[in-house]
Amino acid sequence: MSAIGPTSGALESTSSAGVVDARPTDAPRDAASEASHADEAGFLRLLLAQLRPHLGRLTGIALCTLLAGVYSAVLALTLEPLIDNAIVGGDGAALAFGVSILAIFFVIRILGSAGAAVIGAQLSARYLTDTRRAMFAHLQALPMRFHGARSTGDLVAHFSSDLNAIETALVQGVPTALQGIFQSLPALVAMFYLDWRLSTLGLLALPLAALGVRLVGARAERASQEHKIQEGEITAFVQENLMVQPVVKLFGLARREGERFEVEARRLGATTARARRYAGLASTAGSAGLGLVLFLVILGGAFLGRHGELTAGGFVAFLAAFMSFGDALGNLLDAVPPVLQSAGSVHRIDQLLREPLDAIEGDTAPMPALVDAIRLDDVRFAYDPGHPVLDRLSLTIPARSSVALVGPSGSGKSTVLTLLMRFRDPDAGRITADGVDLRRVDVGALRSRMAVVFQESLLLGLSIRENIRLGREGASDEEVERAARAAELHEHVMTLPEGYDTLAGERGANLSGGQRQRLAIARALVSEPDLLLLDEPTSALDPVTEASIQATLRGVARDRTVIAVTHRLASAADADRIFVLEDGHLVEEGAHAELLARGGRYARMWAHQHGFSVAPDGRDAAITPERLEEIELFADLDLDQRRRLADWFVTERFDEGEVVFREGDPADRLYVVARGALEVLIDGRPEPRVRTLRDGDLFGEIALIKGTPRTATIRAMVPTLALSLPRRRVEALFDEAPALRRRFHAIAEDRLGGGA
C-alpha cells in the first residue's frame, strides 16, 4: 500500500490545520462588554477568592502590620502626658517613661514591617507560581475547539503582562492595603480614647473621602480590563505578523502592516493612558477627601481648645492619632492604582481557569482491543451550526485493514480523524470500536492505542532520542534505536556528531523534511500503536523523499489498523478499501480497481490526477497525450498534435514558499501541476488565499489566452513539480489550427474571472 502507514504519537495532533479544530463554535465573547459590568466589590471578591489558598501568609502580613501600627497609636497616646506633664509640667520621670515606651514600640514597629515585607515576598512568589501552574495545566486539558478559537498571542499574554500586573498588585497593592487596614485600627482606638467628639466628627466626615474613590473606581476598573484586552490583542497581532513574514515580504506589505500596527499601538496607548488616568484620579480623589476631613477636625479641635475643653497636649495627641489614622487610610488609597490596574488581569485569568474542560475527559471505560471493526453510524457533525461538515456518514473500517479517505477539500476527510481522536464528538450518530461507543471510552486510553502524523510533524527542541521517546515515556535506548531503524532514520543519526543526543532544534529545524517525518514515524513505532491515523504525511515532501517515506510506511504498517487521509489518489491505490467523501457524504467505496471500473467520482478524480510521470530523482516530469485529452482546452486535438504538445511542456521546480508568478506579471505560459500544492493569492482581500491547486490542476490559461496580466499570485505551499507550456507553443498551435484559437477564446469567455 503506497500511502498507508504509521503515524507519529498523539503529540502531532496540534500540527495539522486539517484536523485541529480551528473554528470557534461559539460567538466570540465581548470581553470588554463583560468587563464593563464588573464592579469593585465583585473584583475584590474575585481577588480574595484567588488568594484564599494563601490565607496563612495573608494572616501573617496582617499580624505584622498590626504590630507595626501599634507604634503610631502609642505615639499619639504618649504625646499628651509628654507635653502636659513632662514638657509643660517639668516632670522628668514622665519624660523618661514616655521615651522608653516609644523606644520599645519603635523596635516592635521595625520588626513588624520587616516581617510583613518578607511574608509579602513569599506570598507573591507562591501565588504567581501556583497560578502559572494552574493556567498551564488547564491549557493542557482544554479541548481543541478552545485552542482553535483563541489566538496564541492572547494566551501567552496571560503568562506575561497579566501576571506582571498581578505581581505588581501583590508586591505593592495588597501589603499596602493590609498595612492601611491594620494600622488604622490602633489609631482609631487611640482617637476615641483621647476625644470621642472629634473622633465622631472625623468618622462622620469620612464618606467625603470615599465619595471620589467610589465615583472614579468603577471607571478605573473598566479601563484596566479594556487595557488588558487590548494588550492581548496587540501581542496576538505581533505574533501573527511574525508567523506570516513570507506573505509580508511577498506582497510588500511592510508599510501596510506598519500602519495596522500603528492603529493597534495608538489604541493600546489610549487605553493605557485611560487606565492610568482613572487609577491616579481614584487615589487623588481619596487624598483630597482626607485633606478636607482633616481640615474639619482641626476646626473642631480649635473650637474645643478655645472653650477650655481640650488641652494643648490633648489636641496635639489627637491630631497625631488622627493623622496616623489618615495615613493608614492613605495607604489604602495608595493601594488602589496597582490593585485596580490588575483588575483586568485578574478577570482574564479567572475566565481562563473557568473555561470548561471537555466533557469527554470524564469518561473512564477501558478501550477495547480492536478485533472486529471501527464503525461510523449515521454521524453528523458541524463546526458551525447549520453548516454540517459530515452529514449522516456511515462506514465500516475492519480491524487490521488499511483504508483511505479521499475526496475534494472540505469533504470532511480530516474531520473524520478529528472525531476518531475525540478532539470533538459527533453532534448525532456514533462512532464505535467493536461495538463500544468511543464517547464511553477513557480518552487517554483511546489515544494511547493510536498514533498520528500530519503533513507537518511538530518536534520539540529536545534531542532526537528524547523526541522519539515522547511516543512512550520510559522507552529504553534499545527500543528507541529499534524504532529509528524501522523508520530508516538510524543510519542518518549515526552520521551526526552527537548521534541520538543531537538536538532536533525548534520545530525540528536541524532536520530535513524527510528526516522529520522519519522521526515522527519512529516516535509512533516506539508507542506500539494498534491504530494509525495518517493525514497527508508526505504531501510537503519532494517526490524522491516522498517515495522513500512511502516505502517506509508500507513496511511499518503491517498488522495494524490504518486510516489514511490523502488527496493524492496514487497514494491510496494500494489500500484495502477506499472511501470517497463529498460534501460530508460517502459517495463511493471499494478497492482501487473496483472504483475505476465503476467510472464514477473516484474514476474522474483518478483521471484528473493520472497521466503524469516523475523521474526517479524527482527532478523531471512529463504528461501523457491521453492526459492532455482530459483537459478541456486540448480535448479536440488529434493524437499527433497531443503527442507534440506533450513534448513541448517544460518541467519547472518550485521550493516551498517560492513564487511561480505574481499578480500583474505578463502572461507568458500556462501550467499544470504534476506533483505538489500551490496557493492562489489575491492581494487586498481579508483572506488572501482564495484557492489551493493540487495534482492535475491547470492554471494561468485564462490570462495567457486573453493576453492580460496575471490576476493573482501563485506560490508553492510544498516542494512542487509543474509542467509549463510557453506562449509561443500555444501560438504555433493557433497558426496550425485556427479553429483552435476560436475554441480557446470561447472557453476563456466562459471562464473569465476564475483564472490566474
Side-chain angles (χ1 to χ4, degrees):
M1 115 191 127
S2 310
I4 312 300
T7 58
S8 73
L11 180 68
E12 273 72 33
S13 62
T14 61
S15 63
S16 169
V19 169
V20 170
D21 179 5
R23 312 179 193 188
T25 56
D26 303 313
R29 245 186 296 194
D30 187 346
S33 176
E34 289 183 1
S36 68
H37 291 87
D39 57 19
E40 301 95 324
F43 159 64
L44 290 176
R45 285 194 298 270
L46 180 57
L47 180 61
L48 291 175
Q50 293 187 8
L51 290 173
R52 189 174 295 119
H54 308 279
L55 185 59
R57 289 185 174 86
L58 285 171
T59 302
I61 296 174
L63 291 175
C64 288
T65 54
L66 180 61
L67 287 176
V70 169
Y71 172 78
S72 298
V74 171
L75 173 62
L77 294 173
T78 307
L79 282 176
E80 184 177 12
L82 278 177
I83 294 174
D84 292 341
N85 299 332
I87 297 176
V88 178
D91 188 342
L95 179 62
F97 178 77
V99 171
S100 300
I101 292 296
L102 290 177
I104 293 172
F105 279 93
F106 180 76
V107 173
I108 294 175
R109 175 188 180 181
I110 296 299
L111 294 176
S113 298
V118 170
I119 300 174
Q122 294 174 345
L123 168 67
S124 174
R126 185 58 181 270
Y127 173 87
L128 294 174
T129 299
D130 290 350
T131 303
R132 287 190 184 99
R133 184 183 296 117
M135 286 196 298
F136 188 81
H138 199 65
L139 283 172
Q140 306 310 299
L142 284 168
M144 289 308 303
R145 66 172 178 271
F146 169 84
H147 290 281
R150 293 285 296 273
S151 70
T152 303
D154 186 47
L155 295 178
V156 170
H158 288 307
F159 290 86
S160 54
S161 61
D162 284 340
L163 283 182
N164 288 339
I166 293 176
E167 181 177 19
T168 300
L170 291 177
V171 172
Q172 299 178 9
V174 172
T176 302
L178 290 175
Q179 182 181 8
I181 293 171
F182 289 100
Q183 284 187 355
S184 65
L185 295 178
L188 187 62
V189 171
M191 284 167 51
F192 274 94
Y193 177 81
L194 290 168
D195 195 291
W196 67 269
R197 296 164 296 182
L198 292 179
S199 299
T200 302
L201 174 62
L203 292 180
L204 290 176
L206 273 181
L208 294 174
L211 181 61
V213 177
R214 180 65 183 174
L215 292 175
V216 181
R219 295 185 179 183
E221 186 183 348
R222 288 196 296 271
S224 170
Q225 295 185 58
E226 292 170 0
H227 170 247
K228 301 314 297 184
I229 291 168
Q230 184 61 32
E231 212 170 41
E233 289 178 356
I234 200 170
T235 301
F237 175 87
V238 172
Q239 185 170 39
E240 179 187 54
N241 175 270
L242 295 177
M243 291 174 65
V244 298
Q245 276 298 300
V247 174
V248 174
K249 299 293 190 296
L250 169 66
F251 291 113
L253 300 178
R255 180 189 297 274
R256 175 183 169 185
E257 288 295 284
E259 292 172 351
R260 289 180 60 200
F261 180 80
E262 180 66 21
V263 172
E264 295 292 332
R266 287 180 179 176
R267 191 179 302 165
L268 176 60
T271 58
T272 301
R274 186 160 55 249
R276 301 291 187 267
R277 180 171 66 251
Y278 280 123
L281 286 175
S283 178
T284 301
S287 298
L290 284 176
L292 178 59
V293 174
L294 178 60
F295 176 72
L296 294 176
V297 168
I298 292 175
L299 287 180
F303 177 82
L304 293 175
R306 182 173 182 179
H307 289 78
E309 298 184 23
L310 188 65
T311 66
F315 183 51
V316 172
F318 181 84
L319 285 180
F322 184 79
M323 293 183 69
S324 177
F325 180 70
D327 286 341
L329 295 183
N331 286 332
L332 280 175
L333 295 174
D334 289 340
V336 168
V339 170
L340 285 180
Q341 287 165 21
S342 73
S345 297
V346 171
H347 279 287
R348 277 167 48 84
I349 289 177
D350 179 68
Q351 287 173 356
L352 173 64
L353 294 177
R354 289 179 182 274
E355 283 287 345
L357 301 179
D358 237 341
I360 64 175
E361 301 292 344
D363 299 335
T364 57
M367 173 67 183
L370 186 62
V371 296
D372 180 20
I374 294 173
R375 290 184 172 85
L376 279 71
D377 297 325
D378 203 24
V379 169
R380 300 179 185 179
F381 178 78
Y383 293 102
D384 302 311
H387 299 85
V389 179
L390 300 177
D391 190 9
R392 303 181 65 88
L393 178 65
S394 296
L395 54 86
T396 299
I397 302 168
R400 296 187 180 280
S401 69
S402 62
V403 304
L405 304 176
V406 303
S409 297
S411 60
K413 306 183 300 293
S414 292
T415 299
V416 172
L417 297 192
T418 296
L419 300 182
L420 287 172
M421 291 183 290
R422 294 198 64 201
F423 288 162
R424 301 294 295 269
D425 279 333
D427 298 328
R430 64 177 191 156
I431 302 176
T432 62
D434 286 357
V436 178
D437 194 323
L438 292 188
R439 283 174 290 205
R440 294 179 49 209
V441 175
D442 175 75
V443 71
L446 170 67
R447 292 173 185 165
S448 70
R449 294 287 188 92
M450 65 174 61
V452 187
V453 70
F454 295 106
Q455 178 176 319
E456 180 187 359
S457 292
L458 181 62
L459 305 180
L460 302 185
L462 306 171
S463 69
I464 292 175
R465 186 192 317 279
E466 290 169 316
N467 266 289
I468 295 176
R469 189 173 280 140
L470 288 173
R472 179 164 60 88
E473 187 178 359
S476 66
D477 289 347
E478 291 76 14
E479 291 171 321
V480 168
E481 183 175 326
R482 185 161 58 247
R485 286 182 183 277
E488 300 182 21
L489 180 66
H490 176 74
E491 297 301 325
H492 170 73
V493 172
M494 297 313 295
T495 66
L496 301 174
E498 297 182 63
Y500 282 90
D501 293 323
T502 302
L503 293 178
E506 184 179 1
R507 300 176 66 88
N510 295 338
L511 303 174
S512 69
Q515 291 159 2
R516 288 195 294 270
Q517 293 298 74
R518 292 190 184 281
L519 196 157
I521 294 169
R523 178 160 55 201
L525 295 180
V526 83
S527 69
E528 301 179 352
D530 298 326
L531 176 62
L532 305 177
L533 305 180
L534 178 65
D535 193 1
E536 306 278 13
T538 60
S539 62
L541 304 177
D542 62 83
V544 175
T545 304
E546 178 185 15
S548 178
I549 294 292
Q550 292 286 11
T552 300
L553 294 175
R554 284 194 295 271
V556 301
R558 299 186 184 96
D559 300 323
R560 292 185 171 94
T561 305
V562 181
I563 304 172
V565 165
T566 181
H567 76 275
R568 187 166 295 149
L569 300 188
S571 299
D574 290 338
D576 298 328
R577 198 159 195 80
I578 300 171
F579 298 100
V580 184
L581 304 185
E582 189 167 3
D583 296 328
H585 299 277
L586 178 64
V587 295
E588 287 184 308
E589 65 173 294
H592 172 71
E594 178 185 352
L595 292 173
L596 286 183
R598 290 180 190 171
R601 183 74 174 92
Y602 181 84
R604 293 193 297 273
M605 293 168 58
W606 177 265
H608 182 74
Q609 294 186 10
H610 199 53
F612 300 94
S613 61
V614 178
D617 62 3
R619 300 187 64 82
D620 290 296
I623 188 170
T624 66
E626 292 75 18
R627 178 65 181 83
L628 287 173
E629 190 175 9
E630 299 296 327
I631 298 176
E632 183 182 15
L633 292 174
F634 309 124
D636 289 346
L637 296 177
D638 61 37
L639 180 59
D640 287 339
Q641 288 174 319
R642 291 199 307 273
R643 284 173 177 167
R644 281 188 293 145
L645 185 63
D647 291 337
W648 289 343
F649 275 90
V650 178
T651 301
E652 296 194 36
R653 297 182 298 275
F654 302 99
D655 294 328
E656 180 180 351
E658 186 175 353
V659 173
V660 179
F661 54 74
R662 286 186 168 82
E663 185 175 348
D665 284 352
D668 59 351
R669 65 192 63 200
L670 61 82
Y671 298 83
V672 61
V673 182
R675 181 71 57 82
L678 305 107
E679 55 185 348
V680 182
L681 305 167
I682 297 181
D683 190 18
R685 297 197 179 189
E687 176 53 57
R689 183 191 297 178
V690 297
R691 186 184 172 198
T692 299
L693 302 169
R694 297 190 181 276
D695 299 10
D697 286 340
L698 190 74
F699 65 96
E701 73 276 15
I702 301 301
L704 176 66
I705 295 168
K706 298 293 291 184
T708 57
R710 301 296 190 187
T711 59
T713 295
I714 307 294
R715 185 178 65 179
M717 301 170 65
V718 300
T720 298
L721 280 180
L723 293 167
S724 66
L725 181 65
R727 182 184 181 90
R728 59 185 177 83
R729 296 294 191 182
V730 177
E731 291 293 340
L733 278 177
F734 290 163
D735 293 340
E736 181 179 321
L740 188 61
R741 183 191 300 270
R742 291 191 294 272
R743 174 176 172 78
F744 269 44
H745 281 275
I747 293 173
E749 291 295 337
D750 288 341
R751 297 167 57 187
L752 190 61

